[in-house]
Amino acid sequence: GCVLVVSVIEQLAQWHNSTVKAAMERLCTYIPGKYQIICHKEMNADVVCHSLKLCKQDPGQPLCHLYTPPKKKIHVYANAILSHQSSGKIFTGFSAVCAFPLLDNLCEKIKYVIRNKLPFEDFDGDKFSTFPTLRGYHWRGRDCNDKNITVYPGRRPVNWDVESDSNCNGIWGVDPKDGIPYEEKFCKGADSQGVVLLGDSAGAHFHIPPEWMTVSQMSVKSFANLPMAFTDELDWPQFSEITGFLNSTIGGWTDSLYLRLRRRNRCNHRDLQNISQNGGSSGNLLYLIKSLARNQLLDNPAIVIYATIGNDVCNGNRDTLAHMTTPQEMFSNVVQALRYLDSRLPNGSHVILTGLVDGRFLWDNLHDRYHPLGQLNRDVTYSQLYSFLDCLQVSPCSGWLTPNETLRNLTSERALQLSNILKEIARSEKFAHFDVFYMDFPLRQTAEEWSKMGGEPWQLIEPVDGFHPSQIAAALGTSVTWQKVLHEWPQVLGKENPFNDQIEAIFKDQGGH
């Protein structure tokens, strides 16, 4: 964090030929000689952060640095600065915010949201909210009555919604021309069903805006979305491949399985749940899945996408291979999850198991390109970023984000083994309330489609973290997935609702509500 902030500050001064920088240079001419070291031109972000003791080198551990080290070793600068400070505990003044009596309840509530992945604001306890972030309607269909636990997206209508909208799809009331309820007229027998994603940070659509650290693009407007981004855990599920429903504001365009199902059947409006988390794997999904909101007796069926595409082989450990999920563990975890779904999903639901990605695509297409932090001075490549994160033992994937080709191949080999387990489960396991299908993660087909459009493979990867699928990849992945399901398992999508145009026309006549 420190290296990131200091890097951006230094580059902003350089980009804008800052008067602040000029003033600092003048100030340095007045500083006594023994303190002159803090003005040294070789004081890059690594040196500054080690000097402030926000970065440190543990005994027996390598010295972690993002930039090429200066001629004089980092710790020499750091020790020289710290020797003139009265106390090495520079930042001990920061106390735990949650220790304040007025904030402790709020902090506990936020911890509950993060731990259980349930909406922060949910007055009736139905797991749906009228608030967008903090696991609100960016993640699940928007509640239309947060004071009534029997009203929520995805349920079958109560008395054909004659008097009110019990399932929040916007269709209720009676047609004055013939006295037939609109919900009965337009949605009866329409194969209404929801979309549920059980996934990881790729499914939640993790994204750090590159303009936050690319000084040539930076402005006050660059940070307008910062509060929303942090209260959504740096995820953007509202633009994601499976449950996206808003026009993208982070580049590319939005296309999702939910939007396509909604176009196919307007009665599916708002019936979506993105139950994903950063770091999601087949193991921790067993806990996460309990936040699913589906009543087996009262609700519509659902299409469930099970997609933990990398974290079963990705970790930041030095001995990364030893910490990967084994085929036996994968089988056990997924079957347990499916058995839980069988106790929750209404009859007629469908589950699609998605295979793991081949992450060699990341190194092959990014390692020698410049990261947003390095574009101004051409001094930070993705290879350097990956090595920095790996040294800190916070790499999102030590097995793929590495110059070690053998390790990259072994990681992909394990990913293929786990995908084959998913394929076998889909072939052999049977459940009472849903059928199970398997599909490979469509990276190759997505890259081919993007190439036909004149794009480059690296554009399919998030530029800041160099790891997750980009907005373009998410939108194109939707198209590839839809075509496969439509041609191979058309029963999953249900029939097209012939009344869609009439529904939209009535909405427009009534002011678009």
Side-chain angles (χ1 to χ4, degrees), residues 246-312:
L246 294 177
N247 291 331
S248 172
T249 60
I250 56 174
W253 65 98
T254 302
D255 190 5
S256 71
L257 181 60
Y258 162 73
L259 283 177
R260 290 186 175 229
L261 274 172
R262 184 186 179 280
R263 283 197 295 269
R264 191 173 181 85
N265 180 5
R266 181 60 181 71
C267 301
N268 292 329
H269 182 53
R270 292 192 185 180
D271 195 357
L272 63 99
Q273 295 182 57
N274 191 316
I275 304 177
S276 302
Q277 70 174 9
N278 300 334
S281 66
S282 67
N284 56 39
L285 208 59
L286 292 174
Y287 178 80
L288 183 66
I289 198 174
K290 294 177 182 177
S291 68
L292 172 71
R294 214 66 178 180
N295 186 302
Q296 207 160 37
L297 300 177
L298 300 178
D299 297 349
N300 286 321
I303 301 173
V304 178
I305 309 296
Y306 184 105
T308 56
I309 66 171
N311 288 318
D312 284 284

Side-chain angles (χ1 to χ4, degrees), residues 235-490:
D235 295 321
W236 307 72
Q238 68 272 32
F239 308 140
S240 64
E241 178 176 349
I242 303 300
T243 63
F245 62 94
L246 294 177
N247 291 331
S248 172
T249 60
I250 56 174
W253 65 98
T254 302
D255 190 5
S256 71
L257 181 60
Y258 162 73
L259 283 177
R260 290 186 175 229
L261 274 172
R262 184 186 179 280
R263 283 197 295 269
R264 191 173 181 85
N265 180 5
R266 181 60 181 71
C267 301
N268 292 329
H269 182 53
R270 292 192 185 180
D271 195 357
L272 63 99
Q273 295 182 57
N274 191 316
I275 304 177
S276 302
Q277 70 174 9
N278 300 334
S281 66
S282 67
N284 56 39
L285 208 59
L286 292 174
Y287 178 80
L288 183 66
I289 198 174
K290 294 177 182 177
S291 68
L292 172 71
R294 214 66 178 180
N295 186 302
Q296 207 160 37
L297 300 177
L298 300 178
D299 297 349
N300 286 321
I303 301 173
V304 178
I305 309 296
Y306 184 105
T308 56
I309 66 171
N311 288 318
D312 284 284
V313 298
C314 285
N315 57 74
N317 294 289
R318 293 275 161 79
D319 52 344
T320 182
L321 291 171
H323 289 83
M324 293 178 183
T325 302
T326 66
Q328 295 80 9
E329 290 168 338
M330 189 72 171
F331 182 88
S332 174
N333 291 340
V334 176
V335 169
Q336 283 184 68
L338 292 174
R339 286 173 180 164
Y340 181 84
L341 289 176
D342 206 23
S343 70
R344 292 293 186 275
L345 293 179
N347 196 36
S349 295
H350 310 280
V351 175
I352 298 177
L353 305 177
T354 304
L356 279 70
V357 68
D358 185 348
R360 289 176 292 192
F361 184 88
L362 302 169
W363 179 270
D364 292 346
N365 289 288
L366 281 185
H367 75 276
D368 57 354
R369 296 189 62 83
Y370 289 108
H371 185 268
L373 273 181
Q375 288 174 7
L376 181 63
N377 297 311
R378 304 177 75 82
D379 56 354
V380 178
T381 63
Y382 283 94
S383 177
Q384 288 171 262
L385 174 71
Y386 295 155
S387 296
F388 180 52
L389 297 176
D390 191 52
C391 179
L392 295 172
Q393 298 183 42
V394 294
S395 172
C397 197
S398 294
W400 276 325
L401 308 183
T402 173
N404 186 331
E405 184 178 7
T406 300
L407 183 54
R408 298 199 305 270
N409 290 338
L410 287 172
T411 303
S412 288
E413 183 179 311
R414 175 62 62 86
L416 181 59
Q417 291 173 356
L418 300 185
S419 294
N420 286 335
I421 292 295
L422 294 173
K423 193 180 297 185
E424 175 60 24
I425 290 173
R427 188 191 66 80
S428 61
E429 298 294 318
K430 305 300 178 187
F431 300 90
H433 297 92
F434 55 82
D435 44 16
V436 185
F437 306 91
Y438 169 84
M439 67 175 291
D440 291 323
F441 185 81
L443 178 60
R444 179 182 57 81
Q445 301 94 317
T446 300
E448 289 173 356
E449 287 298 314
W450 183 231
S451 178
K452 291 176 186 176
M453 297 169 67
E456 297 288 338
W458 59 268
Q459 294 169 313
L460 299 175
I461 307 168
E462 274 293 315
V464 173
D465 61 64
F467 180 63
H468 293 93
S470 68
Q471 183 65 34
I472 294 170
L476 288 175
T478 296
S479 177
V480 173
T481 299
W482 181 266
Q483 291 304 319
K484 178 178 178 62
V485 176
L486 187 63
H487 290 115
E488 296 189 18
W489 317 308

Side-chain angles (χ1 to χ4, degrees), residues 5 10 30 37 56 78 144 173 192 208 220 222 226 230 267 277 280 300 314 324 328 407 411 437 476 499 503:
V5 171
E10 288 179 343
Y30 305 134
I37 198 161
K56 61 191 175 82
C144 53
S192 297
I208 299 175
V220 175
S222 302
L226 190 97
F230 276 103
C267 301
Q277 70 174 9
N300 286 321
C314 285
M324 293 178 183
Q328 295 80 9
L407 183 54
T411 303
F437 306 91
L476 288 175
F499 299 108
I503 296 171

Side-chain angles (χ1 to χ4, degrees), residues 9-10 12-31 39 41:
I9 291 172
E10 288 179 343
L12 274 172
Q14 177 185 347
W15 178 254
H16 294 289
N17 195 19
S18 173
T19 55
V20 174
K21 182 184 179 186
M24 280 299 298
E25 289 174 349
R26 283 198 305 273
L27 180 63
C28 283
T29 64
Y30 305 134
I31 292 176
C39 297
K41 294 189 184 299

